[in-house]
Amino acid sequence: MKTIWHNKEIWDDPKFRKTPAWAKALYFHVYDKCDEAGFWDFDMTFAQAYLNFDEPKTVEEVEHALSGFLWRPKDDLFLVPNFINQTQAGTSINPSQPPHVKVLEAMVERKRGGLVDVGDVIKEANPSLKFERTEDVEAHGENQQRALKRAVVFHHELGMNETENETAPPSQSEPEEERIEANF
């Protein structure tokens, strides 16, 4: 069973205190049911079964009632701001740590699902979060080595580790330059 740390300071936020009770209950349902990156697919039927609302809520009602507490980056997809900062130890995603690789995996799933700018969305939602490059971390032990191998694949799919100064590897269709070796 995973442990999720809730943002206890949310109760001190005057805007949250004025939020309707159904929206507060939904917020914590979303917080507990979202993926490791903080994304939640809108499923009011499922939420309704748990929370027993008098009437089902629409995507627009949820977005309005929880504005600032949930973001809506795409259609029926919500994101909990600062979720990664609150639930992962440290201030960075280390690609050799299995729980951190789960965050990358969730991001890849969202990108495959059509959220093209998932990296930008996550960085905006978790402003103090840093993503360590796979080349810059060491993996100790079998679990960390497996995690790092998976992270390399996820980083590649997400377009991470690429900087403006790096160039893409030559494509297979381009002829390679002939190399001359000098024997001095």
Side-chain angles (χ1 to χ4, degrees):
M1 178 166 72
K2 66 180 180 180
T3 302
I4 304 238
W5 303 105
H6 288 277
N7 173 14
K8 294 178 183 176
E9 288 85 36
I10 198 166
W11 295 106
D12 297 328
D13 186 327
K15 184 178 175 190
F16 192 74
R17 287 195 306 262
K18 292 177 184 175
T19 301
W22 69 264
K24 290 174 185 169
L26 180 61
Y27 172 82
F28 285 107
H29 171 79
V30 170
Y31 201 100
D32 290 343
K33 294 293 185 181
C34 65
D35 66 20
E36 287 80 1
F39 290 106
W40 179 69
D41 294 299
F42 184 82
D43 185 349
M44 195 47 69
T45 304
F46 192 62
Q48 174 75 24
Y50 280 104
L51 303 172
N52 197 23
F53 295 147
D54 292 334
E55 22 181 280
K57 305 301 179 191
T58 65
V59 174
E60 291 75 21
E61 287 174 307
V62 171
E63 183 178 32
H64 177 72
L66 290 170
S67 176
F69 302 108
L70 292 181
W71 294 3
R72 186 176 167 198
K74 180 181 168 234
D75 305 328
D76 291 350
L77 183 66
F78 284 90
L79 175 64
V80 179
N82 289 306
F83 182 80
I84 299 171
N85 286 337
Q86 293 166 2
T87 60
Q88 300 296 325
T91 58
S92 66
I93 296 297
N94 181 332
S96 70
Q97 299 300 314
H100 294 186
V101 175
K102 289 291 217 177
V103 171
L104 296 172
E105 183 177 24
M107 291 172 62
V108 165
E109 287 301 316
R110 296 306 172 169
K111 183 175 182 180
R112 290 176 185 164
L115 187 59
V116 183
D117 55 349
V118 66
D120 294 336
V121 169
I122 289 293
K123 288 176 185 174
E124 186 178 345
N126 299 272
S128 64
L129 186 68
K130 304 291 181 219
F131 289 88
E132 295 182 36
R133 293 169 26 114
T134 55
E135 300 88 26
D136 298 339
V137 299
E138 293 183 26
H140 304 287
E142 193 174 319
N143 285 343
Q144 287 187 1
Q145 289 172 359
R146 276 196 307 266
L148 186 56
K149 284 180 185 177
R150 291 180 65 219
V152 167
V153 173
F154 296 147
H155 271 229
H156 178 71
E157 192 164 342
L158 291 167
M160 299 172 115
N161 286 357
E162 297 174 7
T163 63
E164 293 176 13
N165 296 333
E166 292 178 357
T167 56
S171 69
Q172 298 292 344
S173 61
E174 294 178 13
E176 290 187 26
E177 291 181 17
E178 188 176 323
R179 298 178 82 173
I180 302 174
E181 292 183 21
N183 294 324
F184 294 108

